[in-house]
């Protein structure tokens, strides 16, 4: 069995049998191997049984002077029988000799197997404790996420209710606005009918003016013809006829000006009617576009509520399982 011989002086040494899976070395009495030397730290080193159970691993801890194996400073190393170890300023030797406490080989093997089994159980226990801590932290994290999701769900429900209220208010406002637009449209139709009646009257007057203009043109032509035929006989009447001709032309000019004014007024009436019709179409299209946008926002809010509900229900179902 392995044992460690610590040489406190050239003539004095203390043997420690390595019968535990983990052995600590230091200056304080809480250690398994106590070395009362100022060159040794309170918790100087640790020896841990390997998985095979036939060797120890040495690890340097909080020592200032360090830990040496066969003259080399180490942080961690596997020890073998015959290795010379120095803890700070104190030397030690690891040997493998029959133990007076376990002279029988079967008992030694049973003890080492038990030590290995204890180490395995301690490792499993530590692993289970770490896993339990991870599960506890994960459960706390999940509970925090569920609480946050519930808060977000409540806020989303409040936002959805506010959105529905805003949508209803918007719909009411638009209905009132549409009623106002319908009233304005009816008034525009009435004005259009009035303008159409005025345009018909102007058209009738224009036709009458054109007829009179044609009659005057025909009368003037006849007068000019008669004047040319009788110019030699009625020379003294030529001045009067020329005066009549000038008056006729002046009247024709006024009639033509009246015709142009009537055409201008008719064109203005047509532009006014086209502008009113275009304005009404634009207002109706704007109302339909805003109604579609409000409906789309309401659908998006419902989809978000459904997704949040699924996210909240999924962790709850997982925890039940």
């Amino acid at each position: 069995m392995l044992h460690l011989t610590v040489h406190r002086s050239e003539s004095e040494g203390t043997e420690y049998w390595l019968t535990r899976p983990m052995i600590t070395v230091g200056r304080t009495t809480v250690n398994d191997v106590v070395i009362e030397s100022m060159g040794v730290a309170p918790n100087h080193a640790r020896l841990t049984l390997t998985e095979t159970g036939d060797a120890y691993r040495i690890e340097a801890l909080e020592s200032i002077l360090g830990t040496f194996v066969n003259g080399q400073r180490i942080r961690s190393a596997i020890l073998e029988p015959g290795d010379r170890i120095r803890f700070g300023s104190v030397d030690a030797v690891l040997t493998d000799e029959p133990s007076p406490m376990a002279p029988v080989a079967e008992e030694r093997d049973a003890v080492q197997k038990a030590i290995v089994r204890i180490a395995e159980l301690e490792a499993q226990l530590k692993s289970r404790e770490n896993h339990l801590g991870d599960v506890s932290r994960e459960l706390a994290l999940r509970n925090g996420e569920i609480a946050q999701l519930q808060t977000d769900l409540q806020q989303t429900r409040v936002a959805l209710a506010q959105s529905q209220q805003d949508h209803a208010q918007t719909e009411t406002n638009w209905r009132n606005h549409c009623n106002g637009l319908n009233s304005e449209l009816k008034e525009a139709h009435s004005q259009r009918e009035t303008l159409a009646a005025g345009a018909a009257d102007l058209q009738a007057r224009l036709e009458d003016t054109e007829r009179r203009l044609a009659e005057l043109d025909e009368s003037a032509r006849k007068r000019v013809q008669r004047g040319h035929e009788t110019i030699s006989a009625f020379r003294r009447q030529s001045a009067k006829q020329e005066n009549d001709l000038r008056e006729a032309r002046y009247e024709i000019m006024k009639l033509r000006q009246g015709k142009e004014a009537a055409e201008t007024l008719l064109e203005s009436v047509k532009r006014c009617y086209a502008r009113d019709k275009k304005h009404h179409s634009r207002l109706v299209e704007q109302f339909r576009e805003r109604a579609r946008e409000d409906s789309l926002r309401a659908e998006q809010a419902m989809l978000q509520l459904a997704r949040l509900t699924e996210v909240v229900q999924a962790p709850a179902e997982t925890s039940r399982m």
Side-chain angles (χ1 to χ4, degrees):
M1 176 176 288
L2 294 173
H3 68 279
L4 184 69
T5 302
V6 180
H7 297 282
R8 292 180 171 82
S9 64
E10 294 182 357
S11 61
E12 182 182 0
T14 303
E15 292 186 352
Y16 295 91
W17 293 95
L18 307 183
T19 59
R20 300 178 60 185
M22 185 176 68
I23 299 172
T24 58
V25 180
R27 192 172 66 244
T28 59
T29 57
V30 297
N31 295 284
D32 300 309
V33 177
V34 180
I35 303 176
E36 297 179 353
S37 173
M38 294 305 297
V40 178
N43 296 310
H44 196 98
R46 178 173 59 235
L47 281 70
T48 306
L49 190 67
T50 60
E51 295 180 356
T52 57
D54 57 354
Y56 278 87
R57 175 183 295 275
I58 184 171
E59 296 176 277
L61 299 178
E62 55 183 21
S63 61
I64 297 177
L65 298 180
T67 301
F68 296 81
V69 176
N70 297 326
Q72 295 183 355
R73 186 166 183 169
I74 56 92
R75 294 289 297 173
S76 176
I78 300 296
L79 297 177
E80 295 180 357
D83 286 343
R84 301 188 65 83
I85 308 168
R86 182 155 56 91
F87 301 103
S89 59
V90 178
D91 294 329
V93 178
L94 180 68
T95 57
D96 186 9
E97 296 179 358
S99 172
M101 298 176 63
V104 183
E106 290 82 0
E107 293 182 358
R108 182 177 65 238
D109 294 340
V111 169
Q112 290 191 355
K113 289 181 181 179
I115 292 172
V116 173
R117 182 57 180 169
I118 290 172
E120 291 177 352
L121 291 176
E122 288 179 350
Q124 292 179 1
L125 179 60
K126 185 175 182 180
S127 177
R128 293 290 178 86
E129 290 177 351
N130 293 335
H131 180 67
L132 181 60
D134 294 339
V135 170
S136 299
R137 287 190 294 271
E138 181 68 19
L139 181 59
L141 181 61
R142 292 292 180 142
N143 290 333
E145 292 178 354
I146 292 174
Q148 183 63 35
L149 288 174
Q150 290 176 347
T151 303
D152 294 341
L153 178 60
Q154 184 64 27
Q155 293 177 355
T156 302
R157 287 176 176 173
V158 172
L160 179 60
Q162 183 65 33
S163 177
Q164 291 176 348
Q165 184 178 0
D166 294 341
H167 178 70
Q169 183 65 33
T170 303
E171 185 177 0
T172 302
N173 293 336
W174 273 107
R175 284 180 179 175
N176 296 332
H177 184 63
C178 288
N179 292 333
L181 289 177
N182 289 330
S183 300
E184 293 179 359
L185 183 61
K186 290 179 181 180
E187 184 178 356
H189 281 307
S190 178
Q191 293 178 359
R192 185 187 64 181
E193 291 176 357
T194 303
L195 292 173
D201 183 61
L202 289 174
Q203 185 67 28
R205 291 174 61 185
L206 179 62
E207 292 176 356
D208 183 65
T209 301
E210 290 178 350
R211 181 180 56 78
R212 291 177 61 189
L213 181 60
E215 291 177 354
L216 289 173
D217 286 339
E218 183 65 23
S219 176
R221 188 184 61 80
K222 289 180 180 180
R223 288 180 183 180
V224 171
Q225 184 178 4
R226 285 196 301 270
H228 283 293
E229 291 176 354
T230 60
I231 191 171
S232 58
F234 302 99
R235 190 174 292 276
R236 287 177 296 183
Q237 296 180 359
S238 60
K240 183 179 179 181
Q241 289 177 354
E242 287 177 359
N243 187 38
D244 292 340
L245 181 59
R246 283 194 299 271
E247 291 177 358
R249 287 177 178 174
Y250 178 73
E251 188 174 357
I252 289 170
M253 182 182 65
K254 291 196 296 182
L255 291 174
R256 287 179 177 174
Q257 290 177 351
K259 177 182 177 183
E260 291 175 356
E263 290 177 350
T264 302
L265 181 58
L266 180 60
E267 186 66 21
S268 176
V269 170
K270 291 181 179 179
R271 286 197 300 270
C272 182
Y273 173 72
R275 185 174 63 252
D276 291 342
K277 183 177 180 181
K278 184 177 180 181
H279 178 67
H280 175 261
S281 301
R282 185 168 60 253
L283 290 176
V284 171
E285 185 63 26
Q286 290 177 357
F287 170 71
R288 291 177 178 174
E289 183 66 22
R290 292 186 181 180
R292 285 194 296 269
E293 291 176 356
D294 292 339
S295 178
L296 181 59
R297 285 197 295 268
E299 291 178 358
Q300 291 177 352
M302 292 298 293
L303 290 175
Q304 185 178 6
L305 177 59
R307 288 197 295 268
L308 289 174
T309 303
E310 292 178 359
V311 171
V312 172
Q313 291 177 355
E317 293 178 356
T318 304
S319 62
R320 286 198 300 272
M321 293 175 61

